[in-house]
């Protein structure tokens, strides 16, 4: 009996000790993240926005100074833009607040080199002086990725008279300058480290862009959007490192010459102004055009048809026109994206002419901009068979639940023997004259319902059907 009592007490003491030990571990957890070297912690912080990185300073004294050395300064603040878009006084107030935020942050920033410097806010010419200083700051720290996204309301192109103007004098004393730009003292910075240049709603000239092309040995990507001051641009020379070029919504552009380069991807809304020659590495082209003829849209890139692997076309034309157009053969094309208008419940089988022109096609996406969409009860039509031996992925954006869309799915099911996935996206609609009884979200939900109702029984089990 005594032995059993002693054993019970010993067990109780042992259990109590175990509980206390476990409790102590829970109450005083070890902060192993803070023990990491500064380089690793800075790398972690570089994935955060400036505000998020600054917020980590409250964690402990260890974290307090770290964010000031982060090499990635992303001043993205698009959230309030939609709220103030229609209120001029509120917009000006937010602009001033944003400018103060960036200025104060740069005053305490201690990073010697910048991987990225991004300004993303509704800023116009009245912030010229401050943005000039920000650029000087970025260039002086050998910035690699420079992004100025100054869209009105965060998404609209601004009138060029109110756009911020890129100061060419920052590049050197011998650069051309605009008469509207105040005089700067000659400045030279180590801008040669730039790898990516992205300018949206920034007045910039072809001379400035060509200066970057010729003097930045590591520049691989350039995107210009909404620059009404861009008239001529020459991208010329085998020594250029540029791989990706995007020239979008530059209404006064009269000439875009690209020759003797190793460009890989090209996107533009100025395809009719495009002059291409000797671009052996170009394999992806994205063209958006308001032109009514495919001849005008594709004329500028006709010399690279035989080497393209990805082609994206957005045209302001009806799908019925595409059905009568004779496409050239795209011998290497693997991905084809077509965005066109469609009317009511008209047949979309005309797009099969696009597909038949690319015998090695693996992925096809049709984006439909429907006008007065209607769901009719007509019978499905059947197109002539055409074996599609390599097609694996079909994507339908703007699916509304019409008979015409079911026709197209059946065409692929009958002809694409290697088909693996069908993606239906009712959210990407650009629909006009939609029923006023439903809002946009309800229309999308209705389209999603029809997609499942119409296609789940049609698509065999070995093909994945994904309704977004």
């Amino acid at each position: 009996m005594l032995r059993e009592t002693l054993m019970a007490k010993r067990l109780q003491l042992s259990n109590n000790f175990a509980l206390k030990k476990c409790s102590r571990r829970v109450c005083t957890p070890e902060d192993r993240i803070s023990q990491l070297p500064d380089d690793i912690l800075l790398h972690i912080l570089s994935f955060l926005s400036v505000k998020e990185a600054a917020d980590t300073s409250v964690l402990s004294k260890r974290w307090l100074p770290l964010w000031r050395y982060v090499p990635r300064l992303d001043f993205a603040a698009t959230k309030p833009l939609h709220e103030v878009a229609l209120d001029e006084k509120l917009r000006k107030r937010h602009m001033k607040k944003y400018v103060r935020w960036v200025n104060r942050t740069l005053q305490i920033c201690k990073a010697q080199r910048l991987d990225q410097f991004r300004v993303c806010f509704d800023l116009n010419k009245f912030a010229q002086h401050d943005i000039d200083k920000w650029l000087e700051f970025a260039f002086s720290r050998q910035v690699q990725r420079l992004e100025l996204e100054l869209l009105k309301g965060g998404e609209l192109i601004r009138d060029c008279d109110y756009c911020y103007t890129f100061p060419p004098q920052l590049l050197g004393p011998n650069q051309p300058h605009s008469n509207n730009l105040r005089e700067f003292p000659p400045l030279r910075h180590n801008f040669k480290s730039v790898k990516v240049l992205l300018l949206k709603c920034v007045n910039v000239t072809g001379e400035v862009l060509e200066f970057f092309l010729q003097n930045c040995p590591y520049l691989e990507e350039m995107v210009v959007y909404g620059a009404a001051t861009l008239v001529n641009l020459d991208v010329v020379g085998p020594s250029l490192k540029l791989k990706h070029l995007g020239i979008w919504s530059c209404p006064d552009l009269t000439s875009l010459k690209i020759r003797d380069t190793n460009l890989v991807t090209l996107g533009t809304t100025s395809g009719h102004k495009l002059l291409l020659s000797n671009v052996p590495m170009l394999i992806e082209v994205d063209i958006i055009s308001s032109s009514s003829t495919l001849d005008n849209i594709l004329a500028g890139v006709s010399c690279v048809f035989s080497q393209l692997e990805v082609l994206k076309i957005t045209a302001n034309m009806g799908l019925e026109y595409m059905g009568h157009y004779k496409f050239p053969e795209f011998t290497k094309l693997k991905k084809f994206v077509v965005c066109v208008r469609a009317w009511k419940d008209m047949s979309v089988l005309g797009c099969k002419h696009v597909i038949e022109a690319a015998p090695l096609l693996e992925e096809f996406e049709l984006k439909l901009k429907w006008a007065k969409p209607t769901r009719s009860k007509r019978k499905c039509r059947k197109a002539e068979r055409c074996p599609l031996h390599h097609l694996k992925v079909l994507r339908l954006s703007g699916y509304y639940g019409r008979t015409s869309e079911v026709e197209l799915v059946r065409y692929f099911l009958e002809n694409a023997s290697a088909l693996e996935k069908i993606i239906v996206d009712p959210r990407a609609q650009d629909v006009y004259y939609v029923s006023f009884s439903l809002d946009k979200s309800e229309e999308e939900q209705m389209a999603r319902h029809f997609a499942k109702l119409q296609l789940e029984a049609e698509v065999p089990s070995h093909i994945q059907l994904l309704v977004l």
Side-chain angles (χ1 to χ4, degrees):
M1 184 69 178
L2 179 60
R3 184 178 179 181
E4 292 176 357
T5 303
L6 291 174
M7 288 293 293
K9 288 182 178 181
R10 186 179 300 173
L11 180 61
Q12 184 179 3
L13 288 172
S14 178
N15 289 339
N16 288 342
F17 179 79
L19 287 172
K20 288 179 181 179
K21 187 176 181 181
C22 180
S23 177
R24 185 164 60 249
R25 286 179 179 175
V26 172
C27 293
T28 57
E30 188 177 3
D31 183 6
R32 295 188 177 182
I33 295 180
S34 296
Q35 296 176 7
L36 294 172
D38 285 357
D39 291 345
I40 296 179
L41 293 180
L42 287 174
H43 180 71
I44 295 173
L45 291 178
S46 68
F47 291 97
L48 306 178
S49 67
V50 174
K51 184 181 183 304
E52 292 169 338
D55 288 343
T56 63
S57 62
V58 303
L59 295 177
S60 67
K61 292 182 179 180
R62 172 77 170 88
W63 290 84
L64 182 61
L66 282 176
W67 74 275
R68 301 181 184 181
Y69 295 87
V70 173
R72 181 175 174 268
L73 298 180
D74 185 354
F75 294 99
T78 56
K79 186 176 181 180
L81 292 180
H82 303 293
E83 304 171 4
V84 302
L86 301 178
D87 191 326
E88 188 65 26
K89 291 184 178 179
L90 199 56
R91 283 179 61 212
K92 290 182 179 179
R93 194 182 310 160
H94 276 271
M95 287 181 187
K96 292 180 180 178
K97 185 177 180 181
Y98 180 90
V99 169
R100 286 197 302 270
W101 173 46
V102 177
N103 284 335
R104 290 172 181 172
T105 303
L106 298 188
Q107 287 176 0
I108 60 178
C109 176
K110 296 184 178 181
Q112 297 302 309
R113 293 175 178 267
L114 290 179
D115 296 335
Q116 180 189 31
F117 184 84
R118 181 185 183 217
V119 173
C120 184
F121 199 71
D122 185 343
L123 296 176
N124 53 31
K125 68 176 184 179
F126 297 107
Q128 178 83 40
H129 177 67
D130 291 286
I131 301 176
D132 289 345
K133 291 192 301 181
W134 301 347
L135 288 179
E136 290 185 38
F137 177 91
F139 286 139
S140 68
R141 281 154 178 79
Q142 303 175 43
V143 63
Q144 294 186 21
R145 185 180 183 95
L146 178 63
E147 303 174 58
L148 295 182
E149 300 182 43
L150 312 181
L151 295 171
K152 185 177 180 180
E155 55 186 23
L156 301 176
I157 296 177
R158 195 188 312 278
D159 187 286
C160 68
D161 292 335
Y162 291 92
C163 284
Y164 166 79
T165 299
F166 188 96
Q169 293 88 336
L170 289 179
L171 304 179
N174 299 322
Q175 298 313 308
H177 61 275
S178 168
N179 293 329
N180 297 325
L181 192 64
R182 62 183 176 83
E183 291 295 334
F184 277 81
L187 294 174
R188 284 191 180 275
H189 297 290
N190 191 359
F191 52 84
K192 294 185 177 181
S193 58
V194 176
K195 294 181 178 179
V196 177
L197 181 65
L198 189 151
L199 304 175
K200 293 186 178 182
C201 270
V202 174
N203 284 337
V204 65
T205 64
E207 289 82 3
V208 169
L209 297 178
E210 289 168 18
F211 182 89
F212 274 101
L213 289 171
Q214 299 295 335
N215 293 275
C216 298
Y218 306 107
L219 184 61
E220 293 187 353
E221 181 178 355
M222 177 186 286
V223 178
V224 180
Y225 181 86
T229 52
L230 183 59
V231 179
N232 298 293
L233 179 61
D234 291 351
V235 183
V236 180
S239 62
L240 299 185
K241 299 297 182 181
L242 194 69
K243 302 295 182 185
H244 313 286
L245 176 66
I247 305 295
W248 305 102
S249 301
C250 299
D252 293 331
L253 185 68
T254 59
S255 173
L256 176 58
K257 297 179 182 178
I258 305 173
R259 69 174 186 270
D260 303 329
T261 73
N262 292 318
L263 198 68
V264 176
T265 69
L266 170 66
T268 183
T269 48
S270 302
H272 57 296
K273 305 293 184 181
L274 182 62
L275 295 173
L276 276 181
S277 64
N278 192 24
V279 281
M281 306 299 292
L282 186 62
I283 60 172
E284 180 174 338
V285 170
D286 185 354
I287 294 184
I288 299 177
S289 177
S290 58
S291 173
S292 59
T293 66
L294 281 171
D295 289 308
N296 291 338
I297 295 173
L298 297 175
V301 295
S302 59
C303 64
V304 295
F305 282 163
S306 61
Q307 65 192 56
L308 287 182
E309 295 183 10
V310 178
L311 177 59
K312 302 177 183 179
I313 302 174
T314 300
N316 187 28
M317 66 178 69
L319 190 61
E320 68 279 6
Y321 177 82
M322 186 169 291
H324 299 291
Y325 182 78
K326 179 63 176 177
F327 279 88
E329 186 174 4
F330 301 103
T331 55
K332 294 185 179 180
L333 201 65
K334 296 179 180 178
K335 181 177 181 178
F336 210 154
V337 179
V338 180
C339 180
V340 289
R341 291 186 289 108
W343 181 258
K344 292 187 177 180
D345 190 23
M346 64 173 293
S347 177
V348 295
L349 289 174
C351 70
K352 73 183 185 68
H353 296 284
V354 181
I355 307 160
E356 293 169 359
L360 299 182
L361 196 65
E362 297 179 0
E363 182 175 349
F364 177 70
E365 179 175 1
L366 179 63
K367 296 182 177 181
L368 296 172
K369 298 180 179 180
W370 287 99
K372 293 186 178 181
T374 57
R375 300 183 181 97
S376 65
K377 295 183 179 180
R378 66 175 177 82
K379 292 183 178 181
C380 286
R381 301 166 189 167
K382 200 168 185 178
E384 295 181 6
R385 291 186 64 86
C386 177
L388 308 171
H389 299 294
H390 301 277
L391 193 72
K392 297 179 181 179
V393 179
L394 167 66
R395 187 181 185 112
L396 296 177
S397 297
Y399 194 98
Y400 196 70
R402 287 159 286 258
T403 304
S404 56
E405 294 152 346
V406 179
E407 286 177 341
L408 187 62
V409 173
R410 288 183 177 178
Y411 169 78
F412 282 101
L413 291 176
E414 292 174 1
N415 293 278
S417 57
L419 191 62
E420 298 175 355
K421 181 185 294 187
I422 299 176
I423 303 171
V424 175
D425 187 359
R427 301 172 302 176
Q429 299 178 72
D430 187 0
V431 183
Y432 304 96
Y433 308 110
V434 182
S435 171
F436 289 100
S437 61
L438 299 174
D439 62 23
K440 186 176 180 180
S441 62
E442 290 176 321
E443 288 285 356
E444 291 178 357
Q445 187 60 36
M446 183 70 72
R448 192 172 291 109
H449 167 74
F450 271 94
K452 293 180 180 179
L453 184 67
Q454 295 167 332
L455 302 181
E456 285 182 346
E458 296 272 351
V459 179
S461 57
H462 68 275
I463 299 176
Q464 180 184 3
L465 174 63
L466 182 60
V467 181
L468 302 179

